[in-house]
Amino acid sequence: MPKQNVVDQFSRPLQDLRISIMDRCNFRCSYCMPAEIFGDDYAFMHEEELLSFDEIVTLAEQFAKLGVKKIRITGGEPLLRKNVPTLIERLVHVEGIEDIALTSNGVFLVKQAQALKEAGLARVNISLDALTESVFQTMNGRNVKPEIVLKGIDAALEAGLEVKVNMVVKRGVNDQEVQPMALYCKQKGINLRFIEFMDVGQTNGWDFSQVVSKKELLDEVAQIGEVEALEPNYFGEVASRYRYVESGEEVGFISSVTETFCGSCTRARISADGKLFTCLFAEEGYDLRELLRSGATTDMVADYLVGTWEKRTDRYSEERTEESVRNKRKIEMSYIGG
Ligand code: SAM
Ligand code: SF4
Ligand code: SF4
């Protein structure tokens, strides 16, 4: 099938693909995999349920034919999967894919950053929600100290990866860490992106009162140094970007709750067991693993992806307050991959 660009019901092109390669995680962040729900008896996927690397590459090839240029590998914690550099190396060679990034909690980067870079990974987003030990431990739910993530950040920088840091802010839990985190990243010249606490999944006890808005976060950052807004780099950019006027470092805000961006949402997501989701807040996915394992040809897979994207009407963030979506059963962030 020749290259064809597809658009959905609101003329949004298909440009980015997020692939979750592992549903398990070594953290239990309260906003994502609360420990009381994701306990010892939680039914995580068996290995044969996960998409194989061959299956992931086949899907990436078909998505690339439909206009996808960027792939982000995520999870759960993607680096809990064995041989991730091998996967990266294969994805780098997929025709049409121009950019491959990884989102990780950073714990395994000390060991793996170099190999990932050598495999062709360009960028890594490392999640870090606090610098103060007790606050970080409360956020990650597993008593992990921030030092291990800070070492992971250094390892990624030393390996030559472009690093961004993601910080989810929950009011009353880690909001006092906003300025220390902004200062740490500014001093290191790292782009920090604040993420509003989102109502993903069914289990994180989300409440609007715990959301620290982009506006509040921006006010806090501006106390460190004057900032100015930057133009988006491309259509569909998720973060609104700012720079410190004097020193030039960037800081971004992902304001999925208070300033929605569904109108330019160009992202498809694949869960670790091969379900395609056309929205982070979807209730159901489309089973690509079943399609692949039933012997579908690559053209049949591509046709299926076209059909699915063309009928897409998702705009959950814009509808969030409407009665019709309030009782939706949403899938978990650790399953779909953020
Ligand atoms: N484990 C990796 C990590 O934490 O970077 C990758 C997967 S994680 C699901 C991807 C991103 O989603 C992380 O930056 C995390 O902070 C963010 N995230 C998870 N739950 C969230 C929520 N309820 N609201 C906002 N961001 C969330
Ligand atoms: Fe794990 Fe990432 Fe979810 Fe935290 S946000 S529990 S590190 S998947
Ligand atoms: Fe995209 Fe759905 Fe998020 Fe809107 S709510 S930006 S459609 S993922």
Side-chain angles (χ1 to χ4, degrees):
M1 182 190 266
K3 194 165 166 23
Q4 124 186 58
N5 290 322
V6 286
V7 293
D8 70 9
Q9 292 289 310
F10 299 131
S11 306
R12 296 170 297 188
L14 170 55
Q15 288 180 344
D16 315 87
L17 179 62
R18 297 191 176 196
I19 309 175
S20 170
I21 59 169
M22 173 53 89
D23 62 330
R24 291 165 201 257
C25 187
N26 51 322
F27 280 12
R28 286 293 178 272
C29 302
S30 61
Y31 52 76
C32 176
M33 293 178 85
E36 49 299 357
I37 309 278
F38 293 84
D40 290 342
D41 53 355
Y42 188 82
F44 287 104
M45 293 171 200
H46 295 291
E47 199 163 337
E48 66 279 6
E49 292 177 79
L50 302 175
L51 284 186
S52 68
F53 285 0
D54 283 346
E55 289 168 332
I56 293 172
V57 172
T58 300
L59 289 176
E61 286 167 349
Q62 301 319 308
F63 274 97
K65 284 185 198 158
L66 305 182
V68 165
K69 297 187 182 70
K70 297 169 99 177
I71 291 182
R72 176 170 297 280
I73 300 297
T74 179
E77 175 45 44
L79 296 181
L80 283 177
R81 183 96 184 239
K82 286 192 204 107
N83 302 324
V84 180
T86 309
L87 174 65
I88 302 287
E89 200 169 356
R90 293 186 61 184
L91 291 174
V92 165
H93 290 106
V94 172
E95 199 182 325
I97 299 301
E98 295 168 2
D99 181 50
I100 299 184
L102 174 91
T103 304
S104 166
N105 61 35
V107 167
F108 304 108
L109 280 172
V110 169
K111 283 210 176 118
Q112 298 200 35
Q114 191 63 41
L116 289 164
K117 172 70 183 172
E118 283 165 14
L121 185 72
R123 306 187 291 115
V124 60
N125 284 21
I126 302 174
S127 303
L128 176 64
D129 297 328
L131 292 170
T132 304
E133 189 171 300
S134 57
V135 180
F136 186 55
Q137 289 176 330
T138 302
M139 290 300 280
N140 69 52
R142 276 284 162 90
N143 282 331
V144 180
K145 297 182 177 177
E147 281 70 34
I148 177 86
V149 180
L150 297 176
K151 282 187 186 150
I153 292 174
D154 286 340
L157 290 169
E158 275 159 31
L161 290 164
E162 185 192 318
V163 175
K164 288 194 183 112
V165 168
N166 287 350
M167 173 179 179
V168 175
V169 187
K170 260 179 102 172
R171 192 183 306 286
V173 185
N174 69 333
D175 45 351
Q176 72 281 31
E177 298 283 315
V178 167
Q179 287 193 5
M181 282 285 294
L183 275 171
Y184 163 79
C185 289
K186 185 172 183 293
Q187 275 153 15
K188 287 197 85 94
I190 298 173
N191 187 340
L192 170 64
R193 285 135 49 106
F194 294 102
I195 306 179
E196 289 179 349
F197 174 35
M198 282 187 285
D199 51 336
V200 280
Q202 299 291 123
T203 60
N204 70 7
W206 184 86
D207 188 303
F208 187 73
S209 66
Q210 290 178 304
V211 178
V212 181
S213 68
K214 174 196 160 183
K215 185 179 175 310
E216 292 170 272
L217 293 165
L218 185 57
D219 286 347
E220 286 231 28
V221 169
Q223 288 173 31
I224 290 173
E226 190 191 340
V227 288
E228 64 185 5
L230 295 170
E231 288 297 316
N233 277 322
Y234 51 87
F235 178 77
E237 188 168 41
V238 180
S240 48
R241 298 157 54 237
Y242 290 75
R243 67 185 275 280
Y244 293 99
V245 174
E246 257 183 35
S247 45
E249 300 88 7
E250 254 189 51
V251 58
F253 301 85
I254 302 182
S255 53
S256 346
V257 180
T258 64
E259 289 174 10
T260 58
F261 39 78
C262 297
S264 60
C265 181
T266 56
R267 249 154 291 128
R269 297 174 158 89
I270 303 177
S271 62
D273 59 352
K275 299 246 171 54
L276 168 65
F277 292 90
T278 55
C279 178
L280 187 51
F281 300 90
E283 288 178 290
E284 300 277 348
Y286 301 86
D287 198 342
L288 300 180
R289 188 186 68 190
E290 166 68 21
L291 190 65
L292 289 169
R293 293 188 186 174
S294 68
T297 62
T298 51
D299 278 354
M300 284 159 73
V301 174
D303 283 345
Y304 185 78
L305 300 179
V306 171
T308 307
W309 192 262
E310 282 181 345
K311 66 180 184 208
R312 175 186 192 237
T313 55
D314 306 283
R315 45 183 281 277
Y316 174 84
S317 288
E318 291 174 357
E319 298 170 330
R320 169 177 279 120
T321 54
E322 292 171 19
E323 194 59 48
S324 55
V325 300
R326 214 165 280 160
N327 295 322
K328 260 178 98 137
R329 277 205 68 77
K330 297 166 285 179
I331 31 125
E332 297 299 322
M333 186 76 149
S334 56
Y335 175 67
I336 200 173

